[in-house]
Amino acid sequence: MTGDITTYIESFDSEPGYLDWAAFGPLSPVVRSEVHADAELLGTGRRSSVDLVNEHVDQSRSHAASVLGVPAEQIVIQPSTSHGLQQAIYGLSGTLLLSRAEYPALTIAAARAEASLGTMRAAWLEPGNGFVTPDVVREALTDEVTAVAVSLVDFRTGYRVDLSALRDVIGDRLLIVDAIQGLGIVDADYGAADVVCANGYKWLRAGRGTGVATYSPRAVDRLTPVLSGYAGVADGLPVDEVPEPSRDARAFIVSKADSLAAARLGSALHEIHEVGVATIAAAVEARATRVIEIADENAIPVITPREPEHRAGIVTLAPEPQDAGPLAAALANAGVTITPRGGTIRVSAHAGTDDESLSLLAATLSAYVAARAW
């Protein structure tokens, strides 16, 4: 769907200078309203009110399906991205190919599974620039590799993977994707992946606890539901028996979903669906382009790809080593919220990031560079 983005942009009411959406997304007005309404319903103790809130679980799955472009029956609500990824990686047999530079949700799960279960082995990529490109993956593939895990958008550099191109490269192997830095702002071919995991507390503005995961029929067929709990069976509460896991995505659930978290997730996803991911992605791209321009105007190197098709909302600045700390401090003192890490400065603007915030970034960088020249 492609709708009017004006109302969506006007819903951003965080303080000027907030450029840290890749770390945390301040809750949207529609999510905050949903929280208050559902809390009042659960405060009544009426069965009808409780049931009404519980309906948000299936509603959120439906809204996730509309945004991800996959059938709702392939979607489950999880507490976090890590919960979904661990379900996939712990259930994997064979060799998992992934980069050492991935976010720890992937690398730690792979290391723990390899050490504890003995059913899978991690094969580590070490791309020089941190970009897990289709060519890098192609060169590392062996017959032993049964799955590839990757972030849709790299949390360090902002590099965006082409899921369709990766699918072409890996063939029939499983493709496991950490999509937390792209869900809702990247118009990707999520159906090309077998497992997609994300959380709504960043770009979706839904708060923590709002995880979502997809498991394709191929994933259900090949993954062992090691962490499957009582909610992962086909027919209700399994009392006095231990049935087999469900033969669909439900197998990768431990317990019932948090209906309040599902309500927040569903509200955020519905808002995105009404506007259209492509429309939001274009607005995010425009803000990211302006951040790159500001960096260029102040001769501050950028390690994020400049091609729009290879980036999303993250722009990572790489000042001279001696400038990284002082520049991050200058931004903080000026009221610009960013993430400094390992000598880099990660700037992440959303569709609703206003001109005042970008002007504040520009003014602070300019003042720092001018002072350094003296």
Side-chain angles (χ1 to χ4, degrees):
M1 178 179 292
T2 300
D4 183 8
I5 197 173
T6 303
T7 301
Y8 180 73
I9 287 177
E10 289 175 348
S11 72
F12 284 71
D13 53 4
S14 55
E15 295 183 359
Y18 193 80
L19 294 168
D20 209 18
W21 294 92
F24 177 76
L27 272 61
S28 70
V30 69
V31 167
R32 300 198 301 262
S33 295
E34 186 66 51
V35 169
H36 294 312
D38 289 337
E40 291 299 320
L41 285 172
L42 292 182
T44 66
R46 290 192 295 268
R47 176 59 62 85
S48 59
S49 297
V50 175
D51 289 344
L52 188 62
V53 176
N54 286 339
E55 289 176 3
H56 289 309
V57 176
D58 286 337
Q59 291 169 356
S60 65
R61 292 174 63 237
S62 177
H63 294 318
S66 67
V67 171
L68 288 163
V70 301
E73 57 266 26
Q74 295 183 18
I75 296 174
V76 292
I77 304 303
Q78 299 278 17
S80 70
T81 309
S82 294
H83 281 77
L85 292 173
Q86 287 184 356
Q87 287 279 2
I89 293 174
Y90 276 59
L92 184 68
S93 296
T95 297
L96 174 66
L97 182 66
L98 74 164
S99 169
R100 289 192 185 276
E102 289 288 356
Y103 192 77
L106 277 172
T107 58
I108 290 179
R112 298 289 188 270
E114 182 177 27
S116 303
L117 302 178
T119 56
M120 62 81 68
R121 184 181 75 86
W124 300 101
L125 287 169
E126 298 191 35
N129 57 8
F131 299 174
V132 183
T133 66
D135 287 341
V136 167
V137 172
R138 181 185 292 108
E139 292 176 4
L141 284 178
T142 65
D143 291 341
E144 289 72 32
V145 173
T146 54
V148 174
V150 69
S151 293
L152 174 60
V153 179
D154 179 58
F155 80 107
R156 302 176 196 260
T157 65
Y159 172 75
R160 172 158 63 104
V161 166
D162 183 335
L163 297 182
S164 299
L166 267 186
R167 168 52 65 197
D168 290 341
V169 166
I170 70 173
D172 193 47
R173 298 171 176 88
L174 292 180
L175 179 56
I176 301 169
V177 178
D178 178 343
I180 192 170
Q181 296 292 4
L183 182 61
I185 64 163
V186 172
D187 191 18
D189 179 13
Y190 294 103
D194 296 290
V195 178
V196 177
C197 305
N199 200 326
Y201 78 91
K202 296 179 186 280
W203 303 93
L204 298 188
R205 307 187 293 163
R208 282 193 174 272
T210 52
V212 61
T214 73
Y215 300 91
S216 72
R218 180 163 44 193
V220 172
D221 182 59
R222 298 184 187 178
L223 297 175
T224 302
V226 175
L227 302 177
S228 186
Y230 76 90
V233 301
D235 299 313
L237 187 66
V239 178
D240 300 326
E241 62 175 333
V242 181
E244 292 296 315
S246 175
R247 290 302 303 165
D248 56 24
R250 289 175 297 173
F252 303 99
I253 300 174
V254 174
S255 63
K256 290 184 178 179
D258 179 347
S259 57
L260 285 174
R264 288 186 277 119
L265 175 65
S267 297
L269 288 170
H270 179 65
E271 188 174 35
I272 288 169
H273 173 67
E274 288 296 298
V275 180
V277 175
T279 302
I280 294 173
V284 172
E285 160 58 23
R287 306 303 190 277
T289 296
R290 180 58 190 140
V291 171
I292 292 175
E293 291 173 349
I294 291 169
D296 289 345
E297 290 163 3
N298 292 280
I300 297 176
V302 173
I303 62 174
T304 301
R306 291 176 178 267
E307 304 86 357
E309 66 273 19
H310 292 313
R311 56 181 165 85
I314 293 174
V315 176
T316 302
L317 314 183
E320 294 297 323
Q322 68 272 16
D323 288 325
L327 181 53
L331 289 165
N333 291 337
V336 180
T337 305
I338 47 80
T339 292
R341 179 183 285 114
T344 63
I345 294 173
R346 189 179 68 183
V347 181
S348 47
H350 209 313
T353 297
D354 57 19
D355 292 340
E356 184 178 358
S357 295
L358 295 173
S359 296
L360 189 57
L361 173 68
T364 306
L365 294 184
S366 179
Y368 178 84
V369 170
R372 183 188 59 184
W374 287 96

